[in-house]
Amino acid sequence: LGFTFSFPCKQEGLAKARLSKWTKGFRCEGVVGEDICNLLHEALKRRTNCSVEIVAIVNDAVGTLMSAAHVDRKCEIGLILGTGCNACYMEDLGNVETWDEEKNHPDQVIINTEWGAFGDNGCLDFLRTEYDRELDTFSINPGRQIMEKMISGMYMGEIVRLVLERLTMEGLLFRSVDSECELFERGRFYTKYVSEIESDTDDFFSNTKQVLDEVGVENYSTEDCKIVKYVCTLISARAAFLAAAGLATLINRMNKSDITIAVDGSLYRFHPRFHNLMCLKIQELVKPGLKFKLALSHDGSGKGAALTAAVSLRLRNTKFPVDTENVPASREMPVNIGIKQQA
């Protein structure tokens, strides 16, 4: 079994990782600090009659990278834009100071950045708004995953709701709203609403009106719909630009002439403008001459875990060393896999 586990872990081996902390609103006692593979193995033994060997555990960003790199050799960055937000990239082993294993060929390792936690030390405070701070205060993990809370699908809808709530309370939006409607309930304005609202391309605002009906807003004008859509576009654009800034930093660091970025996640798949917004901002921020391509990797994390498991077994079953320098490029070869968790 190849196992995708989308939470920060201390990776101690390809099939051994200890949970560092829960994110994305999850919390389960007795798991932090424990070996995730061992817990899953024991649970499978209790629930099934078959013996399941877990040979690899990977982060979803790593799985996405592995899946896409299987068909595109230029793919060296994996990005998740869904419920959470994270990225990984290929790094030269000589640049990884925390690597404590043998440095064998190939001399590269996948770095899982866990960049959703960027800003936890206060470095993003100059960008955060009152709405970001309120969302963080009432979240299950205050003070943590700051960048993720400004980008990911789990939180985007709530930020929009907080802005719309403030505009309504100050008399700038909607003439009369029932105080009991879902617009005033935390977590009831979903990120899918943002994608649907921004899909409106005319002044009829059919999607926007449907969303407002669903959240219990009955009295709204065309001007109200324009404002709602404008709020959505501002918040989604900020999220896309933040993700783009992170990717541009990785592209510039790697300094490769042409890189493919594998992307998976519902936010990227379903939002009508996210791809284009990211491409425009990345192009502004990367060094001149560096080329990049964003490629959707549908269910890449699951496929990547399966690929990692397959390669792991093939390496384990390889009895003799292979001379990789004198083998035609078209022939399949075992691949060394290194995965390092970056705090």
Side-chain angles (χ1 to χ4, degrees), residues 274-292:
F274 224 84
H275 172 87
N276 290 341
L277 287 169
M278 287 178 63
C279 287
L280 289 171
K281 186 56 67 174
I282 293 172
Q283 193 62 59
E284 289 181 26
L285 299 175
V286 296
K287 299 175 184 176
L290 298 185
K291 297 180 180 179
F292 67 91

Side-chain angles (χ1 to χ4, degrees), residues 63-242:
T64 297
L65 171 57
M66 290 290 294
S67 176
H70 182 60
V71 295
D72 183 351
R73 298 300 295 271
K74 293 181 180 179
C75 183
E76 297 196 38
I77 298 177
L79 174 67
I80 296 295
L81 285 170
T83 304
C85 180
N86 188 25
C88 67
Y89 72 104
M90 296 295 298
E91 179 63 275
D92 292 335
L93 201 52
N95 296 331
V96 185
E97 298 178 1
T98 56
W99 184 262
D100 51 12
E101 304 294 330
E102 293 184 8
K103 295 187 177 182
N104 298 322
H105 176 81
D107 58 352
Q108 286 184 306
V109 65
I110 299 176
I111 296 291
N112 171 23
T113 66
E114 286 298 338
W115 78 14
F118 184 56
D120 289 8
N121 62 353
C123 64
L124 290 181
D125 286 354
F126 73 102
L127 283 175
R128 299 173 71 201
T129 67
E130 59 187 284
Y131 309 107
D132 295 311
R133 299 180 196 281
E134 182 173 351
L135 179 145
D136 180 50
T137 299
F138 287 93
S139 68
I140 198 171
N141 55 345
R144 296 183 177 181
Q145 301 299 112
I146 296 301
M147 184 163 166
E148 184 171 77
K149 288 172 180 174
M150 299 172 75
I151 297 176
S152 77
M154 180 171 182
Y155 304 102
M156 183 184 292
E158 177 63 8
I159 296 175
V160 170
R161 189 198 70 80
L162 289 170
V163 175
L164 297 180
E165 180 183 52
R166 172 63 64 84
L167 293 174
T168 302
M169 297 298 290
E170 294 185 358
L172 301 173
L173 186 65
F174 308 129
R175 292 181 214 141
S176 59
V177 181
D178 184 353
S179 60
E180 300 297 320
C181 80
E182 294 181 357
L183 182 64
F184 299 106
E185 293 184 28
R186 297 189 186 280
R188 296 310 298 267
F189 196 97
Y190 309 120
T191 298
K192 70 172 186 175
Y193 291 161
V194 179
S195 296
E196 292 169 1
I197 289 170
E198 291 195 54
S199 296
D200 276 334
T201 56
D202 52 44
D203 290 336
F204 292 107
F205 296 105
S206 56
N207 291 333
T208 304
K209 291 175 181 178
Q210 181 177 343
V211 168
L212 293 176
D213 289 339
E214 288 186 25
V215 298
V217 178
E218 298 177 351
N219 298 316
Y220 48 79
S221 63
T222 299
E223 189 63 27
D224 291 331
C225 292
K226 289 181 180 178
I227 294 172
V228 170
K229 183 179 179 181
Y230 182 61
V231 170
C232 290
T233 60
L234 290 179
I235 292 170
S236 63
R238 183 187 71 160
F241 292 164
L242 283 170

